[in-house]
Coordinates of all heavy atoms in Angstrom, one line a residue:
M28 N 8.5 3.2 -3.9 CA 7.9 1.8 -3.7 C 6.8 1.8 -4.7 O 6.0 2.6 -4.8 CB 7.6 1.6 -2.3 CG 7.0 0.3 -2.2 SD 6.6 -0.2 -0.4 CE 6.5 1.3 0.5
V29 N 6.7 0.6 -5.4 CA 5.6 0.4 -6.3 C 4.6 -0.6 -5.8 O 3.4 -0.7 -6.3 CB 6.1 -0.1 -7.7 CG1 6.8 1.1 -8.4 CG2 6.9 -1.2 -7.6
A30 N 4.9 -1.4 -4.8 CA 4.0 -2.4 -4.3 C 4.4 -2.8 -2.8 O 5.5 -2.8 -2.4 CB 3.9 -3.6 -5.1
S31 N 3.3 -3.1 -2.0 CA 3.5 -3.6 -0.7 C 2.5 -4.6 -0.4 O 1.3 -4.4 -0.8 CB 3.4 -2.5 0.3 OG 3.4 -2.9 1.6
E32 N 2.8 -5.7 0.1 CA 2.0 -6.9 0.3 C 2.2 -7.4 1.7 O 3.3 -7.5 2.2 CB 2.2 -8.0 -0.7 CG 1.5 -9.2 -0.6 CD 0.2 -9.1 -1.3 OE1 0.0 -8.3 -2.3 OE2 -0.8 -9.9 -1.0
T33 N 1.1 -7.7 2.4 CA 1.3 -8.4 3.7 C 1.1 -9.9 3.5 O 0.1 -10.3 2.9 CB 0.3 -7.8 4.7 OG1 0.5 -6.4 4.8 CG2 0.4 -8.5 6.1
I34 N 2.0 -10.6 4.1 CA 1.9 -12.1 4.1 C 1.0 -12.6 5.3 O 1.2 -12.1 6.4 CB 3.3 -12.7 4.2 CG1 4.2 -12.1 3.1 CG2 3.2 -14.2 4.1 CD1 5.7 -12.5 3.3
D35 N 0.3 -13.6 5.0 CA -0.5 -14.2 6.2 C 0.4 -14.9 7.1 O 1.2 -15.8 6.6 CB -1.7 -15.1 5.5 CG -2.4 -15.9 6.7 OD1 -2.2 -15.6 7.9 OD2 -3.2 -16.7 6.3
P36 N 0.5 -14.5 8.3 CA 1.4 -15.2 9.2 C 1.3 -16.7 9.4 O 2.2 -17.3 9.9 CB 1.4 -14.3 10.5 CG 0.1 -13.5 10.5 CD -0.2 -13.4 9.0
E37 N 0.1 -17.0 9.2 CA -0.3 -18.5 9.5 C 0.0 -19.3 8.1 O -0.3 -20.5 8.2 CB -1.8 -18.5 9.9 CG -2.1 -17.9 11.1 CD -1.3 -18.4 12.4 OE1 -1.1 -19.5 12.4 OE2 -0.8 -17.5 13.1
S38 N 0.3 -18.7 7.1 CA 0.5 -19.4 5.8 C 1.7 -20.3 5.9 O 2.7 -20.0 6.7 CB 0.6 -18.5 4.7 OG 1.9 -17.7 4.8
S39 N 1.8 -21.4 5.1 CA 2.9 -22.2 5.0 C 4.0 -21.5 4.2 O 3.8 -20.6 3.5 CB 2.5 -23.5 4.4 OG 2.3 -23.3 3.0
N40 N 5.2 -22.1 4.3 CA 6.3 -21.6 3.6 C 6.1 -21.5 2.1 O 6.5 -20.5 1.4 CB 7.7 -22.4 3.9 CG 8.1 -22.2 5.3 OD1 7.8 -21.2 6.0 ND2 9.0 -23.1 5.7
S41 N 5.5 -22.5 1.6 CA 5.3 -22.5 0.2 C 4.3 -21.4 -0.3 O 4.4 -20.9 -1.4 CB 4.6 -23.9 -0.3 OG 3.4 -24.1 0.3
E42 N 3.4 -21.0 0.6 CA 2.6 -19.8 0.4 C 3.4 -18.6 0.3 O 3.0 -17.6 -0.4 CB 1.4 -19.8 1.4 CG 0.4 -20.9 1.2 CD -0.7 -20.8 2.1 OE1 -1.2 -19.8 2.5 OE2 -1.2 -21.9 2.5
L43 N 4.5 -18.5 1.1 CA 5.4 -17.3 1.0 C 5.8 -17.1 -0.3 O 5.7 -16.0 -0.9 CB 6.5 -17.5 2.0 CG 7.7 -16.5 1.8 CD1 7.2 -15.1 2.3 CD2 8.9 -16.8 2.7
V44 N 6.2 -18.1 -1.0 CA 6.7 -18.1 -2.4 C 5.6 -17.6 -3.3 O 5.8 -16.7 -4.1 CB 7.3 -19.4 -2.8 CG1 7.7 -19.3 -4.3 CG2 8.6 -19.8 -2.0
V45 N 4.4 -18.1 -3.2 CA 3.4 -17.7 -4.0 C 3.0 -16.2 -3.8 O 2.7 -15.6 -4.8 CB 2.1 -18.6 -3.7 CG1 0.8 -18.1 -4.4 CG2 2.4 -20.1 -4.1
D46 N 3.0 -15.8 -2.5 CA 2.7 -14.4 -2.3 C 3.8 -13.5 -3.0 O 3.5 -12.5 -3.5 CB 2.7 -14.1 -0.7 CG 1.5 -14.7 0.0 OD1 0.5 -15.0 -0.7 OD2 1.6 -14.9 1.2
V47 N 5.0 -13.8 -2.9 CA 6.1 -13.1 -3.6 C 5.9 -13.0 -5.0 O 5.9 -12.0 -5.6 CB 7.4 -13.6 -3.2 CG1 8.6 -12.8 -4.0 CG2 7.8 -13.5 -1.7
V48 N 5.6 -14.1 -5.6 CA 5.3 -14.2 -7.1 C 4.2 -13.4 -7.4 O 4.2 -12.6 -8.4 CB 5.2 -15.7 -7.5 CG1 4.8 -15.7 -9.0 CG2 6.6 -16.4 -7.5
N49 N 3.0 -13.5 -6.7 CA 1.8 -12.8 -7.0 C 2.1 -11.3 -6.9 O 1.6 -10.5 -7.8 CB 0.7 -13.1 -6.1 CG 0.1 -14.6 -6.5 OD1 0.3 -15.1 -7.5 ND2 -0.5 -15.1 -5.5
A50 N 2.9 -10.8 -5.9 CA 3.1 -9.4 -5.8 C 3.9 -9.0 -6.9 O 3.7 -7.8 -7.5 CB 3.9 -9.2 -4.5
L51 N 4.9 -9.7 -7.3 CA 5.8 -9.4 -8.5 C 5.0 -9.3 -9.8 O 5.2 -8.4 -10.6 CB 7.0 -10.3 -8.6 CG 8.1 -10.1 -7.7 CD1 9.1 -11.3 -7.6 CD2 8.9 -8.8 -8.1
V52 N 4.2 -10.3 -10.1 CA 3.4 -10.4 -11.3 C 2.5 -9.2 -11.4 O 2.3 -8.8 -12.6 CB 2.7 -11.7 -11.4 CG1 1.6 -11.8 -12.6 CG2 3.6 -12.8 -11.6
E53 N 2.0 -8.7 -10.3 CA 1.1 -7.5 -10.4 C 2.0 -6.3 -10.8 O 1.4 -5.3 -11.4 CB 0.5 -7.3 -9.0 CG -0.5 -8.3 -8.6 CD -1.2 -8.0 -7.3 OE1 -1.1 -6.9 -6.8 OE2 -1.8 -8.9 -6.7
V54 N 3.3 -6.2 -10.4 CA 4.1 -5.0 -10.7 C 4.7 -5.2 -12.1 O 4.7 -4.2 -12.9 CB 5.1 -4.9 -9.6 CG1 6.1 -3.8 -10.1 CG2 4.4 -4.5 -8.3
I55 N 5.3 -6.3 -12.4 CA 6.0 -6.5 -13.6 C 5.1 -7.1 -14.6 O 4.5 -8.1 -14.4 CB 7.3 -7.5 -13.4 CG1 8.1 -7.1 -12.3 CG2 7.9 -8.0 -14.6 CD1 9.2 -8.1 -11.9
E56 N 5.0 -6.4 -15.7 CA 4.1 -6.9 -16.8 C 4.8 -8.0 -17.5 O 5.8 -7.8 -18.3 CB 3.9 -5.8 -17.7 CG 3.1 -4.7 -17.1 CD 2.8 -3.5 -18.0 OE1 2.9 -3.7 -19.2 OE2 2.4 -2.5 -17.6
P57 N 4.4 -9.3 -17.3 CA 5.0 -10.5 -17.9 C 4.8 -10.4 -19.4 O 4.0 -9.7 -19.9 CB 4.2 -11.7 -17.4 CG 3.4 -11.1 -16.2 CD 3.3 -9.7 -16.5
A58 N 5.8 -11.1 -20.1 CA 5.7 -11.2 -21.6 C 4.3 -11.7 -22.0 O 3.6 -12.4 -21.3 CB 6.8 -12.1 -22.1
A59 N 3.9 -11.4 -23.2 CA 2.6 -11.7 -23.6 C 2.2 -13.2 -23.4 O 3.0 -14.1 -23.7 CB 2.5 -11.5 -25.2
G60 N 1.1 -13.4 -22.7 CA 0.7 -14.8 -22.4 C 1.4 -15.5 -21.2 O 1.0 -16.5 -20.7
Q61 N 2.4 -14.9 -20.7 CA 3.1 -15.5 -19.5 C 2.3 -15.1 -18.3 O 2.0 -14.0 -18.0 CB 4.5 -14.9 -19.5 CG 5.4 -15.5 -18.2 CD 6.8 -14.9 -18.1 OE1 7.2 -14.2 -19.0 NE2 7.4 -15.2 -17.1
T62 N 2.0 -16.1 -17.5 CA 1.2 -15.9 -16.3 C 2.0 -16.3 -15.0 O 1.5 -16.2 -13.9 CB -0.1 -16.6 -16.4 OG1 0.2 -18.1 -16.5 CG2 -1.0 -16.2 -17.4
T63 N 3.2 -16.8 -15.2 CA 4.0 -17.1 -14.0 C 5.4 -16.5 -14.1 O 5.8 -16.1 -15.1 CB 4.2 -18.7 -14.0 OG1 4.9 -19.1 -15.2 CG2 2.9 -19.4 -13.8
L64 N 6.1 -16.5 -13.0 CA 7.4 -15.9 -12.9 C 8.2 -17.0 -12.0 O 7.8 -17.4 -11.0 CB 7.3 -14.6 -12.2 CG 8.7 -13.9 -11.8 CD1 9.3 -13.5 -13.1 CD2 8.4 -12.7 -10.9
S65 N 9.4 -17.3 -12.6 CA 10.2 -18.2 -11.9 C 11.2 -17.4 -11.0 O 12.2 -16.8 -11.5 CB 11.0 -19.0 -12.8 OG 11.9 -20.0 -12.3
L66 N 11.0 -17.5 -9.7 CA 12.0 -16.8 -8.7 C 13.3 -17.6 -8.6 O 14.3 -17.0 -8.2 CB 11.2 -16.7 -7.4 CG 10.3 -15.6 -7.3 CD1 9.7 -15.5 -5.8 CD2 10.8 -14.3 -7.7
Y67 N 13.2 -18.8 -9.0 CA 14.5 -19.7 -8.8 C 15.7 -19.1 -9.6 O 16.8 -19.3 -9.3 CB 14.3 -21.2 -9.3 CG 13.4 -21.9 -8.4 CD1 12.1 -22.1 -8.6 CD2 13.9 -22.3 -7.1 CE1 11.2 -22.9 -7.7 CE2 13.1 -23.0 -6.3 CZ 11.8 -23.3 -6.6 OH 11.0 -23.9 -5.7
E68 N 15.4 -18.3 -10.6 CA 16.5 -17.6 -11.4 C 17.0 -16.4 -10.6 O 18.1 -16.0 -11.0 CB 15.8 -17.1 -12.7 CG 15.3 -18.2 -13.6 CD 14.6 -17.7 -14.8 OE1 14.6 -16.4 -15.1 OE2 14.0 -18.5 -15.5
H69 N 16.3 -15.9 -9.5 CA 16.7 -14.8 -8.9 C 17.2 -15.0 -7.4 O 17.8 -14.1 -6.9 CB 15.7 -13.8 -8.9 CG 15.2 -13.4 -10.3 ND1 15.9 -12.6 -11.1 CD2 14.2 -13.9 -11.1 CE1 15.3 -12.6 -12.3 NE2 14.3 -13.4 -12.4
V70 N 16.6 -15.9 -6.7 CA 16.8 -16.2 -5.3 C 16.6 -17.6 -5.0 O 15.9 -18.3 -5.7 CB 15.9 -15.3 -4.5 CG1 14.5 -15.7 -4.7 CG2 16.3 -15.3 -3.1
N71 N 17.4 -18.1 -4.0 CA 17.3 -19.5 -3.5 C 16.0 -19.4 -2.6 O 16.0 -19.0 -1.5 CB 18.5 -19.9 -2.7 CG 18.3 -21.3 -2.2 OD1 17.3 -21.7 -1.9 ND2 19.5 -22.0 -2.2
L72 N 14.9 -20.0 -3.1 CA 13.7 -20.0 -2.3 C 13.6 -20.8 -1.1 O 13.0 -20.4 -0.1 CB 12.5 -20.4 -3.3 CG 12.3 -19.5 -4.6 CD1 11.2 -20.1 -5.4 CD2 11.9 -18.2 -4.1
D73 N 14.4 -21.9 -1.1 CA 14.4 -22.6 0.2 C 15.1 -21.8 1.3 O 14.7 -21.8 2.4 CB 15.1 -23.9 -0.1 CG 14.4 -25.0 -1.0 OD1 13.1 -24.8 -1.0 OD2 15.1 -25.7 -1.7
A74 N 16.1 -21.1 0.9 CA 16.9 -20.3 1.9 C 16.1 -19.1 2.3 O 16.0 -18.8 3.4 CB 18.2 -19.8 1.2
L75 N 15.3 -18.5 1.3 CA 14.4 -17.4 1.7 C 13.4 -17.9 2.7 O 13.1 -17.2 3.7 CB 13.8 -16.9 0.4 CG 12.7 -15.8 0.7 CD1 13.2 -14.5 1.2 CD2 11.9 -15.6 -0.7
E76 N 12.8 -19.0 2.4 CA 11.8 -19.5 3.4 C 12.3 -19.8 4.7 O 11.7 -19.5 5.8 CB 11.1 -20.8 2.8 CG 10.3 -20.5 1.5 CD 9.8 -21.7 0.7 OE1 10.2 -22.9 1.2 OE2 9.1 -21.6 -0.2
D77 N 13.5 -20.5 4.7 CA 14.1 -20.9 6.0 C 14.5 -19.6 6.8 O 14.3 -19.6 8.1 CB 15.3 -21.7 5.7 CG 15.1 -23.0 5.2 OD1 13.9 -23.5 5.3 OD2 16.1 -23.7 4.7
I78 N 15.0 -18.6 6.1 CA 15.4 -17.3 7.0 C 14.2 -16.7 7.5 O 14.2 -16.3 8.7 CB 16.2 -16.4 6.0 CG1 17.6 -17.0 5.6 CG2 16.3 -15.0 6.6 CD1 18.3 -16.3 4.6
I79 N 13.2 -16.4 6.7 CA 12.0 -15.8 7.1 C 11.3 -16.6 8.3 O 10.9 -16.0 9.3 CB 11.0 -15.5 6.0 CG1 11.7 -14.6 5.0 CG2 9.7 -14.9 6.5 CD1 12.0 -13.2 5.5
T80 N 11.2 -17.9 8.2 CA 10.5 -18.8 9.1 C 11.3 -18.7 10.4 O 10.8 -18.5 11.5 CB 10.4 -20.2 8.6 OG1 9.5 -20.2 7.5 CG2 9.7 -21.1 9.7
A81 N 12.6 -19.0 10.3 CA 13.5 -18.9 11.6 C 13.5 -17.6 12.3 O 13.3 -17.6 13.5 CB 14.9 -19.3 11.2
S82 N 13.5 -16.5 11.5 CA 13.4 -15.2 12.1 C 12.1 -15.0 12.8 O 12.1 -14.4 14.0 CB 13.6 -14.1 11.1 OG 13.5 -12.9 11.7
A83 N 11.0 -15.4 12.2 CA 9.7 -15.1 12.8 C 9.5 -16.0 14.1 O 9.0 -15.5 15.0 CB 8.5 -15.5 11.8
E84 N 10.0 -17.2 14.1 CA 10.0 -18.1 15.2 C 10.8 -17.6 16.4 O 10.4 -17.6 17.5 CB 10.4 -19.6 14.9 CG 9.5 -20.2 13.9 CD 10.0 -21.6 13.4 OE1 11.2 -21.9 13.7 OE2 9.3 -22.3 12.7
K85 N 11.8 -16.9 16.1 CA 12.8 -16.3 17.1 C 12.4 -15.0 17.5 O 13.0 -14.3 18.3 CB 14.2 -16.4 16.6 CG 14.7 -17.8 16.5 CD 16.2 -17.8 16.0 CE 16.6 -19.2 15.8 NZ 18.0 -19.3 15.2
K86 N 11.3 -14.4 16.8 CA 10.9 -13.1 17.0 C 12.0 -12.0 16.8 O 12.2 -11.1 17.6 CB 10.2 -12.9 18.4 CG 8.9 -13.8 18.5 CD 8.3 -13.5 19.8 CE 7.0 -14.3 20.0 NZ 6.4 -15.2 19.1
S87 N 12.8 -12.3 15.8 CA 13.9 -11.3 15.5 C 13.5 -10.8 14.1 O 12.9 -11.5 13.3 CB 15.2 -12.0 15.4 OG 15.3 -13.0 14.5
D88 N 14.0 -9.6 13.9 CA 13.7 -8.9 12.6 C 14.7 -9.2 11.6 O 16.0 -9.2 11.9 CB 13.5 -7.4 12.8 CG 12.4 -7.1 13.6 OD1 11.4 -7.7 13.6 OD2 12.5 -6.0 14.3
V89 N 14.4 -9.5 10.4 CA 15.3 -9.8 9.3 C 14.6 -9.4 8.0 O 13.4 -9.4 8.0 CB 15.8 -11.2 9.2 CG1 14.7 -12.1 8.8 CG2 17.0 -11.4 8.3
E90 N 15.4 -8.9 7.0 CA 14.9 -8.7 5.7 C 15.7 -9.2 4.6 O 17.0 -9.2 4.8 CB 14.4 -7.3 5.4 CG 15.6 -6.4 5.4 CD 15.1 -4.9 5.1 OE1 14.0 -4.5 5.6 OE2 15.9 -4.2 4.5
V91 N 15.2 -9.9 3.7 CA 16.1 -10.4 2.5 C 15.8 -9.6 1.4 O 14.6 -9.4 0.9 CB 15.6 -12.0 2.3 CG1 16.4 -12.4 1.1 CG2 15.9 -12.8 3.5
R92 N 16.8 -9.2 0.6 CA 16.7 -8.3 -0.6 C 17.2 -9.0 -1.8 O 18.3 -9.6 -1.7 CB 17.4 -7.0 -0.4 CG 16.7 -6.1 0.7 CD 17.6 -4.8 0.9 NE 16.9 -4.1 1.9 CZ 17.4 -2.9 2.2 NH1 18.4 -2.4 1.5 NH2 16.8 -2.1 3.2
F93 N 16.5 -8.9 -2.9 CA 17.0 -9.5 -4.0 C 16.4 -8.6 -5.3 O 15.5 -7.9 -5.0 CB 16.8 -10.9 -4.3 CG 15.4 -11.4 -4.1 CD1 14.5 -11.5 -5.2 CD2 14.8 -11.6 -2.8 CE1 13.3 -11.9 -5.0 CE2 13.5 -12.0 -2.6 CZ 12.7 -12.1 -3.7
T94 N 17.0 -8.8 -6.5 CA 16.4 -8.1 -7.6 C 15.8 -9.1 -8.6 O 16.2 -10.2 -8.8 CB 17.5 -7.3 -8.3 OG1 18.5 -8.1 -8.8 CG2 18.0 -6.2 -7.4
V95 N 14.7 -8.6 -9.1 CA 14.0 -9.4 -10.2 C 13.7 -8.3 -11.4 O 13.0 -7.4 -11.1 CB 12.7 -10.0 -9.7 CG1 12.0 -10.6 -10.9 CG2 13.0 -10.9 -8.6
E96 N 14.3 -8.5 -12.5 CA 14.1 -7.6 -13.6 C 14.3 -6.2 -13.1 O 13.6 -5.3 -13.5 CB 12.8 -7.8 -14.3 CG 12.7 -9.2 -14.9 CD 11.4 -9.4 -15.6 OE1 10.7 -8.4 -16.1 OE2 10.8 -10.6 -15.9
D97 N 15.4 -6.0 -12.5 CA 15.8 -4.7 -11.9 C 14.9 -4.1 -10.8 O 15.2 -3.0 -10.3 CB 15.9 -3.6 -13.1 CG 17.1 -3.9 -14.0 OD1 18.1 -4.6 -13.6 OD2 16.9 -3.6 -15.2
Y98 N 13.8 -4.8 -10.4 CA 13.1 -4.3 -9.3 C 13.7 -4.9 -8.0 O 14.2 -6.0 -8.0 CB 11.6 -4.9 -9.3 CG 10.7 -4.2 -10.3 CD1 10.7 -4.6 -11.7 CD2 10.0 -3.2 -10.0 CE1 10.0 -4.0 -12.6 CE2 9.1 -2.5 -10.9 CZ 9.1 -2.9 -12.3 OH 8.4 -2.4 -13.1
L99 N 13.8 -4.0 -7.0 CA 14.3 -4.5 -5.7 C 13.1 -5.1 -4.9 O 12.1 -4.4 -4.7 CB 14.9 -3.3 -4.9 CG 15.4 -3.7 -3.5 CD1 16.5 -4.6 -3.5 CD2 15.7 -2.4 -2.7
V100 N 13.3 -6.3 -4.4 CA 12.3 -7.0 -3.7 C 12.9 -7.2 -2.3 O 13.9 -7.7 -2.2 CB 12.0 -8.3 -4.3 CG1 10.9 -9.1 -3.5 CG2 11.5 -8.2 -5.8
T101 N 12.0 -6.8 -1.4 CA 12.4 -6.9 0.1 C 11.3 -7.8 0.7 O 10.2 -7.5 0.7 CB 12.6 -5.6 0.8 OG1 13.5 -4.8 0.1 CG2 12.9 -5.8 2.2
V102 N 11.8 -8.8 1.4 CA 10.9 -9.7 2.1 C 11.2 -9.8 3.6 O 12.4 -10.0 3.9 CB 10.9 -11.3 1.6 CG1 9.9 -12.1 2.4 CG2 10.6 -11.3 0.2
R103 N 10.3 -9.2 4.4 CA 10.7 -9.0 5.8 C 10.0 -10.1 6.7 O 9.0 -10.6 6.4 CB 10.2 -7.6 6.3 CG 10.9 -6.6 5.6 CD 10.4 -5.2 6.1 NE 11.2 -4.1 5.6 CZ 10.8 -2.8 5.7 NH1 9.7 -2.5 6.3 NH2 11.5 -1.9 5.2
S104 N 10.6 -10.3 7.9 CA 10.1 -11.3 8.8 C 8.8 -10.8 9.5 O 8.2 -11.5 10.2 CB 11.2 -11.7 9.8 OG 11.6 -10.5 10.5
D105 N 8.5 -9.5 9.3 CA 7.2 -8.9 9.8 C 6.1 -9.2 8.9 O 5.1 -8.5 9.0 CB 7.4 -7.5 10.3 CG 7.5 -6.6 9.1 OD1 7.6 -7.1 7.9 OD2 7.6 -5.4 9.2
N106 N 6.3 -10.0 8.0 CA 5.2 -10.6 7.0 C 5.0 -9.6 6.0 O 3.8 -9.4 5.5 CB 4.0 -10.9 7.7 CG 4.1 -12.0 8.8 OD1 4.8 -13.0 8.5 ND2 3.6 -11.8 9.9
T107 N 6.0 -8.8 5.5 CA 5.8 -7.8 4.5 C 6.7 -8.0 3.3 O 7.8 -8.4 3.5 CB 6.2 -6.3 5.1 OG1 5.4 -6.1 6.3 CG2 5.9 -5.2 4.1
I108 N 6.1 -7.8 2.2 CA 6.9 -7.8 0.9 C 6.9 -6.4 0.3 O 5.7 -5.8 0.2 CB 6.2 -8.8 -0.1 CG1 6.1 -10.2 0.4 CG2 7.0 -8.8 -1.4 CD1 5.3 -11.2 -0.4
L109 N 8.0 -5.9 0.0 CA 8.0 -4.5 -0.6 C 8.7 -4.7 -1.9 O 9.7 -5.4 -2.1 CB 8.8 -3.6 0.3 CG 8.3 -3.4 1.8 CD1 9.4 -2.6 2.5 CD2 7.0 -2.8 1.8
I110 N 8.2 -3.9 -2.9 CA 8.9 -3.9 -4.3 C 9.1 -2.5 -4.7 O 8.2 -1.7 -4.6 CB 7.9 -4.6 -5.3 CG1 7.6 -6.1 -4.8 CG2 8.6 -4.6 -6.7 CD1 6.7 -6.8 -5.6
Y111 N 10.4 -2.2 -5.0 CA 10.7 -0.9 -5.4 C 11.0 -0.8 -6.9 O 11.4 -1.8 -7.5 CB 12.0 -0.5 -4.6 CG 11.8 -0.3 -3.2 CD1 12.1 -1.5 -2.3 CD2 11.3 0.8 -2.7 CE1 11.8 -1.3 -1.0 CE2 11.2 0.9 -1.3 CZ 11.5 -0.1 -0.5 OH 11.2 0.0 0.9
E112 N 10.8 0.3 -7.5 CA 11.1 0.5 -8.9 C 12.5 0.2 -9.3 O 13.4 0.4 -8.5 CB 10.8 2.0 -9.3 CG 9.3 2.4 -9.2 CD 9.1 3.8 -9.6 OE1 10.1 4.6 -9.8 OE2 7.9 4.2 -9.6
P113 N 12.7 -0.1 -10.5 CA 14.1 -0.4 -11.0 C 14.9 0.9 -10.7 O 14.5 2.0 -10.8 CB 13.9 -0.6 -12.5 CG 12.5 -1.0 -12.7 CD 11.7 -0.3 -11.6
I114 N 16.2 0.6 -10.4 CA 17.2 1.7 -10.1 C 17.2 2.7 -11.1 O 17.3 3.9 -10.9 CB 18.6 1.1 -9.7 CG1 18.4 0.3 -8.5 CG2 19.6 2.2 -9.6 CD1 19.7 -0.5 -8.2
R115 N 17.3 2.2 -12.4 CA 17.4 3.1 -13.5 C 16.2 4.2 -13.5 O 16.3 5.4 -13.9 CB 17.6 2.5 -14.8 CG 16.4 1.8 -15.3 CD 16.6 1.1 -16.7 NE 15.5 0.3 -17.1 CZ 15.4 -1.0 -16.8 NH1 16.3 -1.6 -16.1 NH2 14.3 -1.7 -17.1
A116 N 15.0 3.7 -13.1 CA 13.8 4.7 -13.2 C 14.0 5.7 -12.0 O 13.6 6.8 -12.2 CB 12.5 3.8 -13.0
Q117 N 14.5 5.2 -10.9 CA 14.7 6.1 -9.7 C 15.8 7.2 -10.1 O 15.6 8.4 -9.8 CB 15.3 5.3 -8.6 CG 14.3 4.4 -7.9 CD 13.1 5.2 -7.4 OE1 13.2 6.3 -6.8 NE2 11.9 4.7 -7.6
R118 N 16.8 6.8 -10.9 CA 17.9 7.7 -11.3 C 17.2 8.8 -12.3 O 17.6 10.0 -12.2 CB 19.0 7.1 -11.9 CG 19.8 6.4 -11.0 CD 21.1 5.7 -11.6 NE 21.8 5.0 -10.6 CZ 22.4 3.8 -10.7 NH1 22.5 3.3 -12.0 NH2 23.0 3.3 -9.8
E119 N 16.3 8.4 -13.0 CA 15.7 9.3 -14.0 C 14.9 10.4 -13.4 O 14.8 11.5 -13.7 CB 14.8 8.5 -14.9 CG 15.6 7.7 -16.0 CD 14.8 6.8 -16.9 OE1 13.5 6.9 -16.8 OE2 15.3 6.0 -17.6
I120 N 14.2 10.0 -12.1 CA 13.4 11.0 -11.5 C 14.1 11.6 -10.3 O 13.5 12.4 -9.5 CB 12.1 10.4 -11.2 CG1 12.2 9.2 -10.2 CG2 11.2 10.1 -12.4 CD1 10.8 8.6 -9.7
G121 N 15.3 11.1 -10.0 CA 16.1 11.7 -8.8 C 15.8 11.2 -7.4 O 16.1 11.9 -6.5
E122 N 15.1 9.9 -7.3 CA 14.8 9.5 -6.0 C 15.7 8.4 -5.6 O 16.3 7.8 -6.5 CB 13.3 8.9 -6.0 CG 12.3 10.0 -6.3 CD 10.9 9.4 -6.2 OE1 10.7 8.3 -5.8 OE2 10.0 10.1 -6.6
N123 N 15.8 8.1 -4.3 CA 16.7 7.1 -3.8 C 15.8 6.3 -2.8 O 15.5 6.7 -1.6 CB 17.9 7.6 -3.1 CG 18.8 6.4 -2.7 OD1 18.4 5.3 -2.7 ND2 20.0 6.8 -2.3
P124 N 15.2 5.1 -3.3 CA 14.3 4.3 -2.4 C 15.0 3.6 -1.3 O 14.4 3.0 -0.4 CB 13.7 3.2 -3.5 CG 14.8 3.0 -4.4 CD 15.5 4.4 -4.6
Y125 N 16.4 3.6 -1.3 CA 17.1 2.9 -0.3 C 17.3 3.7 0.9 O 17.9 3.2 1.9 CB 18.4 2.4 -0.9 CG 18.1 1.6 -2.2 CD1 18.5 2.1 -3.3 CD2 17.3 0.5 -2.2 CE1 18.3 1.4 -4.6 CE2 17.1 -0.2 -3.3 CZ 17.5 0.3 -4.6 OH 17.2 -0.4 -5.7
L126 N 17.0 5.0 1.0 CA 17.3 5.8 2.1 C 16.0 5.6 3.1 O 14.9 5.6 2.7 CB 17.4 7.3 1.7 CG 18.6 7.6 0.9 CD1 18.6 9.1 0.5 CD2 19.9 7.4 1.6
A127 N 16.3 5.6 4.3 CA 15.2 5.4 5.3 C 14.4 6.7 5.4 O 15.0 7.8 5.3 CB 15.8 5.1 6.7
S128 N 13.1 6.5 5.6 CA 12.2 7.7 5.7 C 12.2 8.2 7.1 O 12.3 7.5 8.1 CB 10.8 7.3 5.3 OG 10.9 6.5 4.2

C-alpha cells in the first residue's frame, strides 16, 4: 500500500470525490504542470458516491475498487481510501497487495 486516507464522515458526497482525487494526486505524479486528475475516466463518480453513502447510512460494510494509472484504489464505507502500487511494481518485488493480512 502506498497511501491511506481517512474521509471526514460528516463531509458531503462531493467532498468524497475531492478526497479521492487529493489522495491520488499525492501518490501519482501528474504530468508537468497538471494539478488535477479526472476520475470520470476511471469510475462513475455518482455511483461511487451513492454506494458509499447508502452503505454508511445502512451501517453495512462495502468497498469499491477501481484502477487509476495502474494503481488500485479502494474506497470503503468506513471512510477509508486505500491506494496500492501498480500491479507490475508488485510483481517486480514479489508482493501481492490483494491478500488479506
Side-chain angles (χ1 to χ4, degrees):
M28 178 171 26
V29 293
S31 176
E32 177 88 20
T33 301
I34 304 165
D35 178 5
E37 301 300 317
S38 67
S39 69
N40 288 345
S41 62
E42 290 180 35
L43 168 66
V44 173
V45 171
D46 289 340
V47 172
V48 169
N49 287 339
L51 281 165
V52 168
E53 288 180 21
V54 171
I55 300 170
E56 295 179 14
Q61 181 181 350
T62 58
T63 61
L64 176 67
S65 176
L66 283 183
Y67 288 104
E68 298 171 9
H69 305 280
V70 65
N71 180 324
L72 296 175
D73 293 332
L75 174 64
E76 293 170 355
D77 290 347
I78 290 168
I79 297 300
T80 300
S82 177
E84 289 172 356
K85 294 178 181 178
K86 298 188 182 351
S87 64
D88 294 330
V89 71
E90 65 181 32
V91 177
R92 296 179 181 185
F93 55 95
T94 58
V95 176
E96 297 186 23
D97 293 329
Y98 286 85
L99 174 66
V100 179
T101 302
V102 180
R103 294 181 173 168
S104 58
D105 69 354
N106 303 316
T107 306
I108 301 168
L109 304 172
I110 302 174
Y111 295 92
E112 292 179 355
I114 293 172
R115 67 178 175 272
Q117 291 297 323
R118 288 184 182 143
E119 289 172 7
I120 59 174
E122 294 180 13
N123 187 345
Y125 309 112
L126 296 176
S128 318

